[in-house]
Amino acid sequence: MKAFFTDKLLSWNQLHNTRTMPWKGIRDPYRIWLSEIILQQTRVEQGLPYYERFITAYPTVKDLAAAPDEEVFRHWQGLGYYARCKNMLAAARQIVSEFNGRFPDTFEQIQSLKGIGPYTAAAIASFAFNLPHAVLDGNVFRILARYFGITTPTDSTAGKKQFAALAQELLAPGQSAIYNQAIMDFGAVMCRPQQPACPQCPLAAKCVALQQQTVAQLPVKSKKLVIKKRYFYYIVLEYKGQVFIRKRTGNDIWQNLHEFILMETPAPLDAGKLESEPAFTSLLQQTPYTLDGISAAFKQQLTHQTIYSQFILLTAVKQPAITDYMAVPRARLEQYAFPKTITDFLQNRSLGLF
DNA sequence: AACACGGGGTC
DNA sequence: GACCCAGTGTT
């Protein structure tokens, strides 16, 4: 599984990666360092002009170390996270004073510089010196969380440790620079936060999240209340004046309340295409029906979840073979408890809205 | 372990 | 409006 991952990633990089950036492939630790500081929590497109400006103004680390603070901050203006600028300047002067103007070439020494943490140290160590340190940035967290189906929060201590160890295991021996560059490019181009290119992904065959349909839910971050979105499609199936419902049980919301035939999907569905969904057809197998209508979308906000519901009105042509649900006369529905979403729906329907 | 730190792009 | 971006330093 791990060899597959690394092999596919490297071959994708070789065959399909067309991403170019001024600092890519170079060995000059000063330029690599500068690019990495600028790119912390910053998009490449946003940082690019700043990188060009800094390289032009300060071609070497000695130039930067000798520059007046105000001038350097002026160059940084508009980029944000200004502590980066302050630390960068301090590091430049550290390099001059402690390392005689020569960029340090061990991981520990690199990380001892101000503004350089584990990520930036690994990036410089690998790109400039091909040292075997795997980078762990937002891209790597996302790719590994999805590919291995890891739900450990990436912003927890345990998560950082777990992902760091895994990233290190996956690092291609002797190819640290190329591998680290490849995995970050892959995250930016293929395994994007939104709308990842799963159909074209060379890792798709073994991607746990893709198989489990949890790609959009990964990676998990613990900070802030994560409000999960869920998409319910309720099939209001009627036959001879009776409606199929069941009582909700189990470890989930709305325990002991009733509901119609539920089809939950991991993502919103085009209700018009519902009849071609495998889950829908398998649910209604051998139940001839007529489609009477589809309701508008209902939204309900719970503490930790947002529930989006839509109701599909069907009339069975013959006795349906639906298990786990009971047939209740429409007039008796008022004897059962339903979640607000469903009572809203029933209210609307009684008003003739559907 | 939790929080502050910026501006911009995307959906 | 929420999320995220080639994270790090401070409390």
Side-chain angles (χ1 to χ4, degrees):
Chain A
M1 195 167 184
K2 286 167 186 169
F4 177 87
F5 178 92
T6 301
D7 290 350
K8 289 292 183 187
L9 179 64
L10 289 177
S11 66
W12 169 84
N13 184 58
Q14 201 163 15
L15 298 173
H16 304 295
N17 187 4
T18 57
R19 207 176 187 218
T20 61
M21 294 167 290
W23 49 83
K24 189 167 164 178
I26 65 175
R27 305 295 303 271
D28 178 358
Y30 168 66
R31 291 187 175 224
I32 293 166
W33 165 64
L34 193 55
S35 73
E36 294 300 342
I37 301 301
I38 288 172
L39 292 174
Q40 286 169 7
Q41 293 292 286
T42 303
R43 291 169 189 280
V44 168
E45 308 81 61
Q46 188 187 2
L48 193 52
Y50 286 84
Y51 172 81
E52 304 285 11
R53 250 174 270 162
F54 269 94
I55 289 299
T56 302
Y58 314 113
T60 71
V61 68
K62 289 178 184 174
D63 297 320
L64 179 58
D69 291 19
E70 283 306 322
E71 183 189 290
V72 178
F73 273 90
R74 177 73 192 180
H75 280 107
W76 196 277
Q77 177 179 271
L79 191 55
Y81 278 179
Y82 297 93
R84 288 185 292 172
C85 183
K86 176 188 170 189
N87 291 330
M88 175 183 72
L89 205 37
R93 291 168 183 165
Q94 255 183 295
I95 292 168
V96 169
S97 63
E98 295 175 27
F99 298 100
N100 200 22
R102 185 183 173 82
F103 211 100
D105 60 1
T106 71
F107 182 83
E108 288 72 22
Q109 286 180 335
I110 293 168
Q111 198 175 345
S112 76
L113 298 169
K114 295 286 281 181
I116 298 186
Y119 163 76
T120 306
I124 297 171
S126 62
F127 295 148
F129 307 111
N130 204 30
L131 293 172
H133 294 272
V135 291
L136 183 53
D137 74 336
N139 291 302
V140 180
F141 275 120
R142 186 171 59 254
I143 295 166
L144 299 188
R146 287 173 175 169
Y147 181 77
F148 292 99
I150 300 170
T151 56
T152 313
T154 57
D155 54 358
S156 65
T157 304
K160 289 189 181 105
K161 194 175 169 184
Q162 179 182 4
F163 281 94
L166 180 53
Q168 193 61 34
E169 283 183 55
L170 296 165
L171 185 62
Q175 303 184 79
S176 305
I178 197 83
Y179 173 86
N180 278 338
Q181 186 61 60
I183 196 168
M184 289 194 286
D185 284 343
F186 189 81
V189 174
M190 302 289 292
C191 199
R192 300 179 291 250
Q194 294 164 319
Q195 300 185 343
C198 300
Q200 289 81 41
C201 182
L203 300 173
K206 297 193 178 182
C207 178
V208 173
L210 186 62
Q211 259 108 65
Q212 298 181 346
Q213 295 186 289
T214 55
V215 173
Q217 279 73 51
L218 296 175
V220 173
K221 293 192 179 181
S222 61
K223 281 172 191 156
K224 290 187 300 183
L225 180 69
V226 276
I227 298 177
K228 189 180 170 190
K229 290 181 178 176
R230 300 175 70 177
Y231 304 91
F232 288 1
Y233 294 89
Y234 276 122
I235 299 164
V236 185
L237 180 62
E238 293 197 20
Y239 178 67
K240 290 186 173 174
Q242 296 192 312
V243 187
F244 288 82
I245 65 172
R246 73 172 170 189
K247 181 185 277 196
R248 285 181 65 86
T249 59
N251 188 23
D252 202 348
I253 58 170
W254 297 337
Q255 276 185 54
N256 296 309
L257 299 191
H258 290 77
E259 66 184 356
F260 301 114
I261 300 170
L262 174 61
M263 184 179 134
E264 181 175 2
T265 64
L269 226 54
D270 183 344
K273 296 176 183 166
L274 199 71
E275 289 173 282
S276 58
E277 281 294 317
F280 182 85
T281 52
S282 70
L283 201 57
L284 289 177
Q285 52 184 337
Q286 292 143 16
T287 301
Y289 64 86
T290 60
L291 178 60
D292 301 319
I294 298 174
S295 79
F298 288 72
K299 178 180 176 179
Q300 182 167 9
Q301 187 63 57
L302 309 180
T303 307
H304 292 82
Q305 305 183 19
T306 306
I307 310 292
Y308 296 93
S309 301
Q310 224 167 344
F311 297 82
I312 294 86
L313 281 58
L314 302 182
T315 299
V317 174
K318 67 174 194 182
Q319 178 70 45
I322 304 290
T323 55
D324 300 326
Y325 289 84
M326 54 184 177
V328 172
R330 277 185 63 166
R332 296 268 175 81
L333 284 180
E334 60 188 48
Q335 296 179 0
Y336 298 92
F338 295 95
K340 185 174 188 304
T341 284
I342 292 183
T343 56
D344 284 349
F345 159 75
L346 291 172
Q347 177 69 15
N348 279 5
R349 189 171 67 164
S350 73
L351 294 174
L353 271 62
F354 302 114

